[in-house]
Amino acid sequence: MSTQSLIDGLWIKGWPTSHIAGARPLAPGMKCAGRAVTLQFVPQRPDIAADKPGGEASPEYEAFEQSGPNEVMVLSSVGPWESVGGDIKFLRLKQLNVGGLVTDGSVRDTDVLLEYGFPVYSYSTTPRQGPHAHQPWACNTVINCGGVTVRPGDAIIGDQDGVIVVPAAVAEEVYDIAHSREVIEEIVKEELVKNPGPPGKYYPFITGKIKPDSNLAKLLDSKGVKYHSTSTSARSAPVTPSASHAAPGRFGMGQSRAQGISRPFSTRAYSSATSKRSVE
């Protein structure tokens, strides 16, 4: 599921923007999906540094140990150019096979991080150490990362366009909306490839408000797609769809050790074995 489709789903629900501004993949082809494990950094101050637990009890290492293949570490920096870590610290994340790391700050030891292999999204890279400017303060608390509120357990999805946050409370509904839009857009693109013409023939559309006599409605009817329109609860045509429009079924995340939830983002079942595609 692409970040574009998911952010469209959030937009349709009227949810505030969930794009973590400035977080870019460290290398082409990186993708991540998982539940958020958060780490808050605060500006450096001697008395706060003295109060912070040290060694293995430090908040960043506490957060690391709650991460794994189904989690994405989200670190809030005090500034875009401040380092949140590098080689030695993030070796532990490699050992834990973390699902990804996202920050609105910078990372260092870039060549080594690329060798580690897990997805990294950051504002930039830097050779500087971070402790002169900030320090980790709290694990798994609500944070602001790139202008977006992130709660532990939220869905974090990243691709080449960036990283978005899907609040856990609405994740299932957002997925369903996003998948529906992907189905429609794939059908529209196939039609435009086959019969070239302006996309405006079928656009714009709003999920759940497809006009029954529009070109888009007629196209969906011809493909056997069931959908909600402005005049009926659902319309369908008696054509069995091809398997090419089958949905993946969920975000792709398994059990979260941090949250102890076995099916974090279940959705209604979509299958190429059904007789109709459902677009809502």
Side-chain angles (χ1 to χ4, degrees):
M1 181 66 65
S2 70
T3 55
Q4 307 95 307
S5 295
L6 291 167
I7 211 117
D8 285 351
L10 287 162
W11 170 72
I12 287 170
K13 282 189 58 60
W15 205 268
T17 180
S18 291
H19 173 223
I20 296 180
R24 302 291 302 152
L26 206 56
M30 286 186 167
K31 293 185 178 182
C32 70
R35 281 187 175 275
V37 173
T38 64
L39 180 62
Q40 178 192 28
F41 281 75
V42 296
Q44 179 61 266
R45 210 173 86 176
D47 59 330
I48 292 179
D51 290 339
K52 182 179 73 69
E56 295 179 5
S58 185
E60 71 264 45
Y61 303 127
E62 180 185 355
F64 289 0
E65 296 307 312
Q66 298 187 51
S67 301
N70 300 314
E71 287 80 45
V72 174
M73 283 285 306
V74 184
L75 298 80
S76 66
S77 174
V78 301
W81 300 106
E82 308 306 338
S83 171
V84 296
D87 181 3
I88 302 300
K89 278 190 177 182
F90 295 154
L91 172 62
R92 183 55 179 154
L93 295 180
K94 176 184 183 297
Q95 293 170 341
L96 292 168
N97 195 26
V98 70
L101 182 150
V102 176
T103 181
D104 53 0
S106 292
V107 295
R108 62 188 216 141
D109 302 314
T110 306
D111 289 340
V112 177
L113 296 187
L114 291 173
E115 291 176 1
Y116 285 169
F118 59 83
V120 176
Y121 289 76
S122 65
Y123 182 87
S124 188
T125 59
T126 179
R128 298 188 302 175
Q129 293 184 351
H132 76 284
H134 63 177
Q135 59 195 29
W137 178 249
C139 163
N140 258 354
T141 187
V142 176
I143 63 172
N144 173 358
C145 188
V148 175
T149 300
V150 183
R151 297 180 70 181
D154 284 346
I156 308 298
I157 299 91
D159 57 23
Q160 289 300 289
D161 284 339
V163 180
I164 66 166
V165 180
V166 180
V170 295
E172 180 175 345
E173 185 178 358
V174 169
Y175 177 92
D176 290 343
I177 294 171
H179 169 63
S180 298
R181 291 178 67 85
E182 283 198 340
V183 170
I184 292 178
E185 290 185 349
E186 185 178 350
I187 291 171
V188 169
K189 185 174 181 179
E190 286 179 354
E191 181 65 19
L192 291 173
V193 169
K194 183 179 178 181
N195 298 298
K201 183 176 181 179
Y202 305 108
Y203 277 62
F205 71 85
I206 298 177
T207 301
K209 297 182 180 180
I210 297 174
K211 295 181 180 179
D213 296 322
S214 66
N215 289 325
L216 178 57
K218 294 174 183 177
L219 176 62
L220 296 178
D221 286 343
S222 73
K223 301 295 183 181
V225 177
K226 183 170 61 176
Y227 59 92
H228 287 271
S229 75
T230 56
S231 63
T232 60
S233 59
R235 294 165 58 94
S236 63
V239 179
T240 302
S242 66
S244 64
H245 296 288
R250 68 172 77 176
F251 285 107
M253 292 169 278
Q255 181 169 350
S256 167
R257 288 180 292 168
Q259 301 296 325
I261 299 174
S262 59
R263 294 188 75 238
F265 300 110
S266 62
T267 64
R268 292 195 298 275
Y270 291 89
S271 171
S272 59
T274 59
S275 60
K276 306 225 186 289
R277 285 173 295 200
S278 179
V279 177
E280 301 182 10

